[in-house]
Amino acid sequence: MNILDKLLKEKNLTDTEFLQILNTDIYDEELYKIADKVRREVYGDEVYIRGLIEFTNYCKNNCLYCGIRCGNDKAVRYRLTKEEILSCCDEGFYLGFKTFVLQGGEDAYFTDEILCDIISSIKNKYPDCAITLSVGEKDKESYKSYFDAGATRYLLRHETATNEHYKKLHPKNLSLETRKKCLYTLKEIGYQVGAGFMVGSPFQTMENIVADLRFLQDLKPDMIGIGPFLSHKDTPFKNFENGSFYLSLRLLSIIRIMFPYVLLPSTTALGTINENGREMGLKAGANVVMPNLSPERVRKLYMLYDNKISTGEEAAQSKALLEKRVENAGYKVVSLRGDVKR
Ligand code: SAM
């Protein structure tokens, strides 16, 4: 049996076979086609939109790749008030968003009490909308309190499933074990959970990527966030090359075929590295986009990597432009919550 037929039929390959398709571009066109067919069988031509609110760029962590790491003293820090966050939601709701994603650094200012108050205020005002959190590693009680306040989805990329690699990307106080534990805890509480990793992060090997796919098979997340690593000039990784755009597309397709039901964003990083990256990501199997709803004045401050896009189709306010581009790619933006279809 052809290797791609096997992937489609069994949703799995041996490590050697995964390496075989990861290491070449000869399967790419066929992979995109199969991934698109699989996504259409589960999600039709619908593209779900999430309004991304980057509400704080303070972070206590010092991840070596990230522009908002605490060690970057050139970063201009900000945090949004509850009122500002709510007004982002007002604008998003008006624009047709049914999911709000609150993402931020690990900022101690936002205690569980403050965060729960924000979550429940959004939930009270927009009971039919979904609230997604992406605020890093917390203990079980904290995760549970956010869930009880109304957040039902959580994004926490595992970053890499290989211990030695994890250590090269993170400071000593962070561990893969804790990251993984958080993901399983979130699942246990009842969240729709998103894991994922950067493609082409420093020191990453193709074997590391196979380990990432194996970890995803074990976790079975509802969402998988992947995008190229992009370097930031004020981090220790400033001289590392960006991740490959085409390897990122290849992985989107492989992931769609392995996990037909998964919610798979065509990420901002993909749109940053290539002008048509978002559309090409959709054609390779992605079915979610997350335009930016943060206030204009802070957009340029949530700079995880150099040149991160925050205007044009990336801005939630330009939804019409995004709709046109999505339509040109052969899909349609829908104003639905867009829950996972298991
Ligand atoms: N603090 C939360 C957390 O740890 O999950 C959420 C914010 S964190 C900045 C969101 C994601 O940005 C990370 O999971 C990481 O994969 C991605 N990211 C950070 N720096 C990046 C870079 N230089 N290139 C590409 N993605 C990056």
Side-chain angles (χ1 to χ4, degrees), residues 56 58-59 61 63-68 102-107 134-137 154-159 179 196-199 225 227-232 235 237 242 269 302-306:
T56 173
Y58 283 87
C59 191
N61 291 332
C63 307
L64 279 79
Y65 45 84
C66 186
I68 63 168
L102 299 185
Q103 190 182 80
E106 292 196 20
D107 179 357
S134 178
V135 292
E137 298 173 15
Y154 205 103
L155 304 177
L156 186 80
R157 288 182 174 184
H158 64 280
E159 312 298 359
R179 196 90 181 161
F197 57 95
M198 289 175 288
V199 178
F229 158 77
L230 299 172
S231 74
H232 186 293
T235 64
F237 288 165
N242 288 340
Y302 199 84
M303 211 34 94
L304 305 181
Y305 40 79
D306 294 338

Side-chain angles (χ1 to χ4, degrees), residues 119-185:
I119 295 164
S120 56
S121 302
I122 299 173
K123 198 69 203 167
N124 282 336
K125 202 160 181 194
Y126 299 110
D128 297 334
C129 292
I131 301 172
T132 306
L133 291 182
S134 178
V135 292
E137 298 173 15
K138 308 277 175 181
D139 56 31
K140 187 172 181 177
E141 290 65 43
S142 300
Y143 285 150
K144 180 79 171 63
S145 67
Y146 311 150
F147 190 80
D148 293 341
T152 53
R153 302 177 184 159
Y154 205 103
L155 304 177
L156 186 80
R157 288 182 174 184
H158 64 280
E159 312 298 359
T160 172
T162 308
N163 233 325
E164 300 70 47
H165 187 215
Y166 197 92
K167 285 186 191 148
K168 291 183 181 164
L169 303 181
H170 297 96
K172 282 204 175 66
N173 64 320
L174 297 179
S175 76
L176 176 59
E177 199 192 343
T178 308
R179 196 90 181 161
K180 283 186 175 174
K181 195 162 161 254
C182 286
L183 281 162
Y184 287 103
T185 302

Side-chain angles (χ1 to χ4, degrees), residues 197-208:
F197 57 95
M198 289 175 288
V199 178
S201 59
F203 315 108
Q204 185 184 58
T205 62
M206 290 297 188
E207 284 75 13
N208 293 154

